[in-house]
Amino acid sequence: MAYMSEEGYNKLVADLRHLEAVERPKVVAAIAEARDKGDLSENAEYDAAKEAQGLLEMKINKLKTIIADAKIIDESKLKTDSVQILNKVELKNVKNGMKMTYTIVSESEANLKEGKISVNTPIAQGLLGKKVGDIADIKVPQGMIQLEVVSISF
């Protein structure tokens, strides 16, 4: 089961609809066009189109699985007394004083450029349940870091 926001769920559904309604017909057309060019045994265009179809169907099936397993979180019931999914958390690196802000989201909504980290990352796992003022010891690839929870919001 994957917990996610309603916004994230709706984005996945829109992506699935786009793949099924727009991309799938394009691939089918490319296969038909390549097939019309003659001998399939030596037709690289046909092979490429069939491979693209396989990759597209794999993406579609993956999205369908994620959507089927999704559980939308009721944001009105979320609290900010401790860190949980969909919280925006301001952190301070205890060692160097650097501040950072992350929103903890589901795996499918994660986007580091937007400051959204997956609930499955070591940082998010180390922060879950912490309160403002708590210091989390988190194991990252570079070793251990200590992050202090400065604030928790939505």
Side-chain angles (χ1 to χ4, degrees), residues 62-93:
K62 183 178 179 185
L63 275 176
K64 283 182 176 180
T65 300
I66 292 170
I67 290 168
D69 290 342
K71 177 150 176 60
I72 298 173
I73 296 171
D74 183 356
E75 294 182 37
S76 67
K77 294 183 179 174
L78 293 178
K79 295 178 173 51
T80 57
D81 55 343
S82 66
V83 178
Q84 55 186 304
I85 192 166
L86 298 186
N87 281 156
K88 182 181 236 175
V89 185
E90 185 180 349
L91 306 165
K92 182 174 84 173
N93 186 321

